[in-house]
């Protein structure tokens, strides 16, 4: 799955690693829904870090469609809330 981190680039993450990301996404969704700024920033950092760690960067010259778009590392709670679906940022 190709995942774009806004302002940073795309990463190719194996489909079997998406469950690892879903656990972090669930934590992020809980922080956003409860307006918990204390938990929000570190959880967003953890989620984006996991994408970087589990994925392989896609070359900038390569044009591929992103399956998921994640907020930039400096996004605030309101920006992430606007991106959230019913299941969080990562469906599943």
């Amino acid at each position: 799955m190709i995942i774009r981190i806004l302002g940073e680039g795309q990463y190719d993450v194996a489909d079997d690693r998406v469950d690892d990301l879903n656990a972090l996404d669930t934590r992020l969704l809980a922080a956003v829904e409860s307006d918990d700024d204390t938990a929000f920033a570190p959880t967003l950092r953890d989620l984006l870090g996991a994408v970087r760690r589990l994925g392989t960067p896609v070359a900038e010259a390569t044009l591929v469609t992103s399956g998921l778009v994640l907020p930039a590392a400096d996004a605030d709670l309101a920006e992430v809330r606007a991106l959230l679906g019913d299941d969080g940022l990562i469906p599943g």
Side-chain angles (χ1 to χ4, degrees):
M1 169 181 294
I2 303 298
I3 300 175
R4 174 177 296 283
I5 298 175
L6 291 175
E8 184 173 327
Q10 294 177 304
Y11 294 83
D12 187 359
V13 177
D15 290 339
D16 64 344
R17 301 311 302 259
V18 173
D19 284 342
D20 297 330
L21 300 177
N22 272 323
L24 292 165
D25 185 44
T26 299
R27 285 182 27 215
L28 184 65
L29 179 61
V32 170
E33 287 179 341
S34 64
D35 288 322
D36 185 349
D37 279 320
T38 303
F40 168 76
T43 304
L44 178 58
R45 276 194 308 271
D46 290 348
L47 176 60
L48 299 180
V51 170
R52 293 179 195 112
R53 187 178 68 257
L54 298 173
T56 303
V58 176
E60 288 184 32
T62 304
L63 297 175
V64 291
T65 302
S66 300
L68 292 172
V69 177
L70 299 180
D74 62 351
D76 63 29
L77 209 144
E79 291 170 318
V80 172
R81 183 177 286 119
L83 292 173
L84 285 172
D86 292 336
D87 294 329
L89 294 169
I90 302 171

